[in-house]
Amino acid sequence: MRVTFARHVVGVLSLTLVIASTGGAASTWHVKADAAAGGDGSQNRPFATLQEVEARSQPGDTIRVVPSGKPLDGGIQLKDGQRLMGLGNPVTKSAGGARPTITNTSGARYDGDAIRLANNNLVQNIHIDGAARAGVFGVNAARAQVRGNLITNNMIQANNLPRLEALWPKGFVLYESQGNHFGGITLLSCGPAASSYCVNHAPGRPGVPSIGQLVIADNVIRDSNLEGIMLLSDGGGAVTYTVTNNEIRDISLQLPRPEALTPALPIVRSRAFTLIALNGSNATLNLSGFRADNLAPQGNYAADGIVLLTGGTRPVVNARLSDLVVLNSRQTGEVNNGDSIEIQHRGATDGVLNVDIRRADLRDPASANIKVLEASNPTNGSYDISVSDSVLSNANPAGMPDAQIRFSGASGGTKAFKLAVRNTKISGIGGAIGVLNPNNLDTLNVLVENSSFSDLTQPSGAKPTPAINVTHPADRKLGVAVIDVGGGALGSKGRNRFVDNPQVDLSITNGSTATAIRVDAANNYWGGGAPVMAPAASPDVSLSGNVTLSPLKSGHLTSDPGR
């Protein structure tokens, strides 16, 4: 019996060795920038270069980056199932000293990307510093996780603009308003249909119908040029993004003004977070614990905090944004393109943008705090947007003061625009809510309840803007239209407060003779008395054109509900 048992153990050990030698068992490798040459990847004799560990490691292996005084240069392409993990203290919290650092200072290898993803990868606790293009880049990187990394000096290259421009002649130009889609973290999701982005950036990567959930958590991206986090889906694929507790700050602040270059250039993007869904893609976003600040260099930069954009045919975005802080501490930015949150159909057909914003602190944009925008004549798009438990304010005198939540349509047609604002405070420069619609619109719903609109001011010499302002032109069609700020068909409880605003609190103008806009405005605080109606002096409410004001069934509030 003892002999038989011993033979069995020897057989098992032999089988284990065979599995390990054929790559069946995962290995752990170490790499350190200042290690001695000739290492074997062990903890005591780490590899000295990324090229060595990339060549030796197999799918499913773990690669540990040992802290060092200098970075590992040249970038790395991960294999399926690999984990790339930095040793030592958390890089996002450590004050300095040796860190597990990776860079890629040349465009000759992986186009300057520091870390390229495959499937089922984890990238954690890596300091990516000075990469010539993306810090982390992936195409159809199914179930990837990017956690707790620090990305700095991305696409800086000493601001040598000719060098930056020359690195990627086929698809990347530093100063181009729409051609650059790279950031500290850049993930492309490509479905089975044709995709120009995937052909350009990963021609050998086949499209897939779904890449599952991608996780981007606890990262800090700062002191870099252009985008912070860039997510793009194309070709009809489905993807879910979970983006939690990330911080983006000090973006593009060292770049010169585009308009001061020779030749002068138009608006250039400088955005903290961008999600783009194109051509049948279905993107689900859960973004929480997000903080962005100092995104606007001097000059014509589209310095936006969060951008959600669709294009092509039948793209869908379902987004939930919660616990957000988007600031503009220096109060700079280009007047038409500096938004805390921008939600846009751009040339899309049958696009869908469903966006739920909760507990947002949005301050001092160059343009709007929440801008809903149509560009390049989209058709038949729909928006369902809710804002709750949030604070919006603006002390930036350089911006566009017409509304802090603003919808501006293009010249095409919109299927539906639905906006609900609850338990939200809006104050400062500009109006609060503006639906400035120059196009055909099938459904218009605006619900406001339990919200405060106070101390809304204008820059010196600017025309006063109503707190809530809805306009529809005479030469455009209008379907069902309801503005419910209390006691109306959409179910608003009212209890809104309009306090210390020098302009009209509620202004509705409808040029359509075929369809009336229904307005419900009961149970609100207008300073203690009943709302003063235009054309009386200093009115609270102004109605013009084909507008129906429902009876104020429950009257008005005589005491300030406060917020």
Side-chain angles (χ1 to χ4, degrees):
M1 292 293 294
R2 291 179 181 174
V3 174
T4 303
F5 179 76
R7 287 175 178 173
H8 176 69
V9 171
V10 171
V12 170
L13 289 174
S14 299
L15 179 60
T16 302
L17 291 174
V18 169
I19 293 173
S21 65
T22 58
S27 299
T28 297
W29 306 93
H30 293 76
V31 59
K32 185 180 181 184
D34 54 6
D40 59 8
S42 65
Q43 185 174 1
N44 294 327
R45 297 180 60 212
F47 292 128
T49 68
L50 293 171
Q51 290 86 339
E52 289 176 285
V53 74
E54 181 180 316
R56 289 288 300 275
S57 64
Q58 298 296 317
D61 287 353
T62 296
I63 300 170
R64 299 192 183 279
V65 180
V66 182
S68 173
K70 66 178 185 178
L72 292 155
D73 203 350
I76 184 170
Q77 169 68 68
L78 299 179
K79 302 177 180 70
D80 287 352
Q82 286 189 337
R83 301 189 302 166
L84 178 66
M85 307 177 69
L87 299 177
N89 296 325
V91 295
T92 59
K93 297 181 174 22
S94 59
R99 287 174 172 162
T101 305
I102 289 176
T103 190
N104 193 354
T105 57
S106 169
R109 179 174 159 87
Y110 302 138
D111 296 317
D113 300 331
I115 299 169
R116 284 195 166 182
L117 302 175
N119 296 320
N120 299 299
N121 293 139
L122 168 65
V123 176
Q124 186 169 19
N125 199 43
I126 303 293
H127 181 196
I128 301 168
D129 185 58
R133 198 173 77 170
V136 178
F137 179 75
V139 178
N140 285 350
R143 296 170 295 279
Q145 298 185 55
V146 183
R147 295 180 176 271
N149 303 287
L150 172 63
I151 301 176
T152 57
N153 300 306
N154 202 64
M155 290 189 282
I156 297 288
Q157 300 284 297
N159 279 325
N160 184 335
L161 301 185
R163 171 176 167 74
L164 283 164
E165 300 273 343
L167 286 176
W168 311 284
K170 297 180 180 178
F172 176 86
V173 178
L174 181 64
Y175 281 102
E176 181 153 350
S177 60
Q178 298 298 329
N180 166 33
H181 292 295
F182 294 99
I185 299 172
T186 305
L187 302 179
L188 307 185
S189 305
C190 303
S195 165
S196 61
Y197 287 103
C198 298
V199 169
N200 287 336
H201 301 305
R205 193 82 169 158
V208 295
S210 174
I211 63 170
Q213 178 179 239
L214 303 180
V215 177
I216 303 172
D218 305 307
N219 303 283
V220 175
I221 302 173
R222 58 176 173 80
D223 303 309
S224 297
N225 284 340
L226 297 180
E227 309 283 349
I229 297 173
M230 175 71 213
L231 308 175
L232 187 146
S233 58
D234 196 2
V239 59
T240 297
Y241 303 103
T242 298
V243 183
T244 60
N245 300 321
N246 296 281
E247 179 181 351
I248 317 292
R249 59 183 171 86
D250 302 315
I251 299 296
S252 301
L253 296 184
Q254 301 178 41
L255 288 173
R257 293 174 175 266
E259 69 273 23
L261 299 177
T262 304
L265 293 170
I267 295 167
V268 176
R269 299 174 315 162
S270 172
R271 307 193 292 210
F273 176 91
T274 303
L275 183 152
I276 298 177
L278 305 172
N279 296 312
S281 297
N282 192 318
T284 299
L285 170 67
N286 296 292
L287 186 150
S288 64
F290 184 80
R291 183 179 180 89
D293 191 13
N294 282 342
L295 311 175
Q298 294 290 338
N300 290 339
Y301 288 89
D304 302 314
I306 297 169
V307 175
L308 308 176
L309 182 148
T310 71
T313 303
R314 295 187 298 278
V316 176
V317 173
N318 292 297
R320 178 169 179 174
L321 317 180
S322 61
D323 302 295
L324 317 171
V325 178
V326 181
L327 309 177
N328 183 11
S329 297
R330 302 185 185 186
Q331 296 188 6
T332 58
E334 205 276 333
V335 66
N336 293 314
N337 291 277
D339 306 309
S340 300
I341 299 176
E342 180 182 293
I343 301 166
Q344 179 182 163
H345 286 312
R346 185 177 185 85
T349 301
D350 299 324
V352 175
L353 278 162
N354 299 323
V355 184
D356 180 19
I357 302 169
R358 305 185 183 191
R359 298 181 299 279
D361 181 2
L362 311 177
R363 305 183 210 171
D364 307 327
S367 184
N369 267 315
I370 301 174
K371 180 187 288 182
V372 186
L373 175 67
E374 298 198 322
S376 300
N377 296 327
T379 57
N380 206 42
S382 65
Y383 308 84
D384 194 340
I385 299 168
S386 61
V387 182
S388 61
D389 304 305
S390 297
V391 177
L392 282 63
S393 61
N394 188 9
N396 187 353
M400 180 184 294
D402 53 9
Q404 293 191 41
I405 301 177
R406 182 180 193 269
F407 170 62
S408 52
S411 60
T414 301
K415 182 177 181 180
F417 176 77
K418 300 178 181 180
L419 172 68
V421 178
R422 298 180 174 92
N423 307 314
T424 291
K425 300 178 182 179
I426 305 180
S427 63
I429 296 174
I433 299 172
V435 180
L436 313 172
N437 175 48
N439 62 344
N440 299 320
L441 181 58
D442 293 341
T443 300
L444 170 62
N445 287 344
V446 177
L447 177 151
V448 185
E449 68 179 15
N450 293 322
S451 293
S452 174
F453 308 97
S454 67
D455 303 292
L456 294 169
T457 62
Q458 299 292 316
S460 178
K463 181 180 178 181
T465 302
I468 299 177
N469 184 19
V470 178
T471 66
H472 187 80
D475 60 343
R476 299 295 175 181
K477 295 179 180 179
L478 181 65
V480 177
V482 178
I483 312 301
D484 184 359
V485 297
L490 302 181
S492 169
K493 300 175 183 178
R495 296 190 61 80
N496 301 293
R497 62 192 298 268
F498 300 90
V499 178
D500 297 328
N501 301 317
Q503 61 270 52
V504 173
D505 291 318
L506 178 64
S507 175
I508 313 294
T509 301
N510 182 18
S512 171
T513 58
T515 305
I517 296 179
R518 170 176 171 169
V519 178
D520 300 279
N523 200 36
N524 295 301
Y525 181 71
W526 308 89
V532 177
M533 307 295 294
S538 301
D540 298 305
V541 179
S542 175
L543 307 178
S544 177
N546 194 0
V547 178
T548 301
L549 177 65
S550 300
L552 303 182
K553 299 176 182 178
S554 56
H556 58 273
L557 301 182
T558 58
S559 60
D560 190 343
R563 289 290 178 264

